């Protein structure tokens, strides 16, 4: 009774020019010879068969997703007609899967991002099994919390009620938004704070009941969508138009704000399986080895003179030379070149606004 929803509608704006609207980060071969979404699917195939793995995406990226995952049934590609944040995406995915599978008994759903790196996949599946058992045992909403290795300001945090131990479910006291550096250091010193991974495990019945209680407007829309889907296995034509119209009624809200910060049946499992959300180019420093100058060089013919600690990503067609350049990201594609200081990597997405794309 286990199924998976992989969230694959992100735009990957911080990875321009490698990432485009049609082929964002999850569709790139960023850390291996497989795309990140293919790695995500392969990671869970030992636990969940292909016919029970669903992808939540949008109409722009759907063709590339289907091309990348040809072994998944076409009806398992769930196209969200509008971006209304994670509460709507997860609620719609749960409703679609419930209506599509139409099985007796309680369906347990694993929600994963399509663009995260996990180094120890056996450990990942082991912790996932623990989470599934916990969700089924007491009807809790379970999330996986990453044991922090540094006072990171780019992640949300989960505060655990009491001490927390790797692999053991713990009661969540509170979810915290991204902190400043001083607060992040306090979280690390306290010892009972975890990074919020954005991975969730729950019975579909449980998450829909939580939405009915804490997000009644969302739940009402989902009930209408469930009726529209009915017995259709492939949503197309008039059915898609009806769902699009209902989607406009969703308030734009994250699952963290809508459910996780309000529900009282939330548990977290501290994990240590080498997780990295690869949120920007500097995150690649935790993935690839550096050369004698402290530089990461991938698919590039590079000459460095008085240069160090750079990230250079090329397309292998031209020589890239750096002179007196430190702590810089250089990315070359067929059509564009990016030169950016590492400290400014979070602002790469502003380029897209300038380009109006």
């Amino acid at each position: 009774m286990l199924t998976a929803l992989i969230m694959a509608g992100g735009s990957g704006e911080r990875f321009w020019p490698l990432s485009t609207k049609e082929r964002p980060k999850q569709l790139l071969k960023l850390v291996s010879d497989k795309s990140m979404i293919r790695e995500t699917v392969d990671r869970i195939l030992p636990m969940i068969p292909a016919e029970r793995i669903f992808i939540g995406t949008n109409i722009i990226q759907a063709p590339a997703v289907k091309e990348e995952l040809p072994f998944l049934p076409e009806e398992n590609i769930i196209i969200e007609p509008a971006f209304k944040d994670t509460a709507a995406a997860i609620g719609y995915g749960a409703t679609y899967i419930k209506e599509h599978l139409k099985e007796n008994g309680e369906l347990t759903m694993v929600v994963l991002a399509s663009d995260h790196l996990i180094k120890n996949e056996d450990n990942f599946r082991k912790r996932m099994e623990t989470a599934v058992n916990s969700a089924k045992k007491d009807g809790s909403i379970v999330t996986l919390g990453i044991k922090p290795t540094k006072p990171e300001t780019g992640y949300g945090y989960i505060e655990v009620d009491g001490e927390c131990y790797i692999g053991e479910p713990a009661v969540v006291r509170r979810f915290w938004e991204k902190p400043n550096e001083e607060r992040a250091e306090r979280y690390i010193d306290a010892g009972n704070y975890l990074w919020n991974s954005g991975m969730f495990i729950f019975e579909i019945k449980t998450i829909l009941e939580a939405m009915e209680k804490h997000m009644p407007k969302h739940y009402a829309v989902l009930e209408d969508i469930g009726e529209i889907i009915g017995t259709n296995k492939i949503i197309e034509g008039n059915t898609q138009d009806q769902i699009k119209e209902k989607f406009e009624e969703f308030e734009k809200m994250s699952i963290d704000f809508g459910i996780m910060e309000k529900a009282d049946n939330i548990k977290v499992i501290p994990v240590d399986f080498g997780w990295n959300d690869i949120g920007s180019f500097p995150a690649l420093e935790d993935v690839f080895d550096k050369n004698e100058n402290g530089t990461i060089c991938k698919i590039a013919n590079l000459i460095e003179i008085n240069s160090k600690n750079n990230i250079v990503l090329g397309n292998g067609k031209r020589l890239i030379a750096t002179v007196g350049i430190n702590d810089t990201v250089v990315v070359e594609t067929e059509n564009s070149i990016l030169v950016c200081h590492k400290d400014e990597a979070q602002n790469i997405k502003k380029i897209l606004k300038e380009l109006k794309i």
Side-chain angles (χ1 to χ4, degrees), residues 37 46-47 55 88 197 214 216 290 306 341 353:
I37 192 171
M47 296 180 63
I55 311 295
S197 72
H214 301 290
K290 300 176 181 179
N306 297 329
H341 194 279
K353 292 182 180 179

Side-chain angles (χ1 to χ4, degrees), residues 203-222:
E203 291 188 338
I204 287 181
K205 177 185 75 169
T206 299
I207 196 64
L208 293 179
E209 286 175 350
M211 287 194 170
E212 182 177 19
K213 180 178 180 179
H214 301 290
M215 305 182 71
K217 292 182 180 179
H218 261 62
Y219 182 75
V221 176
L222 291 172

Side-chain angles (χ1 to χ4, degrees), residues 55-246:
I55 311 295
T57 188
N58 55 61
I59 193 68
I60 297 174
Q61 295 159 16
V65 169
K66 292 176 183 178
E67 180 183 332
E68 193 65 28
L69 305 170
F71 51 89
L72 294 189
E74 185 173 355
E75 60 268 25
N76 285 28
I77 310 300
I78 306 173
I79 298 176
E80 300 163 26
F83 176 71
K84 293 290 183 174
D85 218 325
T86 52
I90 291 174
Y92 178 45
T95 300
Y96 181 100
I97 292 170
K98 176 186 173 185
E99 293 294 333
H100 179 75
L101 294 179
K102 286 196 174 298
E103 297 177 354
N104 295 322
E106 298 304 332
L107 280 167
T108 304
M109 189 165 88
V110 172
V111 178
L112 303 172
S114 59
D115 55 2
H116 290 178
L117 170 67
I118 291 175
K119 294 180 180 179
N120 190 331
E121 297 192 347
D122 288 336
N123 192 315
F124 165 81
R125 287 186 286 270
K126 179 181 177 180
R127 302 309 181 200
M128 194 61 68
E129 287 177 4
T130 300
V132 169
N133 291 334
S134 181
K136 292 168 68 173
K137 180 181 178 181
D138 52 20
S140 56
I141 298 172
V142 182
T143 184
L144 303 185
I146 310 301
K147 196 73 172 176
T149 57
K150 57 185 177 181
E152 175 63 57
T153 60
Y155 301 146
Y157 282 72
I158 302 171
E159 182 181 1
V160 175
D161 190 7
E163 296 185 39
C164 55
Y165 302 95
I166 295 294
E168 296 185 15
V171 175
V172 172
R173 179 179 294 170
R174 184 171 174 179
F175 282 75
W176 294 92
E177 297 298 324
K178 298 174 183 178
N180 58 30
E181 190 167 347
E182 181 182 354
R183 184 180 291 272
E185 289 176 353
R186 291 207 303 269
Y187 290 169
I188 298 298
D189 292 340
N192 63 324
Y193 288 79
L194 304 165
W195 289 337
N196 183 358
S197 72
M199 292 181 271
F200 306 103
I201 304 92
F202 43 69
E203 291 188 338
I204 287 181
K205 177 185 75 169
T206 299
I207 196 64
L208 293 179
E209 286 175 350
M211 287 194 170
E212 182 177 19
K213 180 178 180 179
H214 301 290
M215 305 182 71
K217 292 182 180 179
H218 261 62
Y219 182 75
V221 176
L222 291 172
E223 280 197 308
D224 291 343
I225 288 176
E227 291 181 9
I228 293 170
I229 295 173
T231 57
N232 294 326
K233 285 184 177 285
I234 300 178
I235 297 178
E236 54 188 10
N238 186 50
T239 305
Q240 185 67 55
D241 291 339
Q242 292 178 65
I243 293 174
K244 183 177 182 179
E245 185 177 331
K246 297 305 297 185

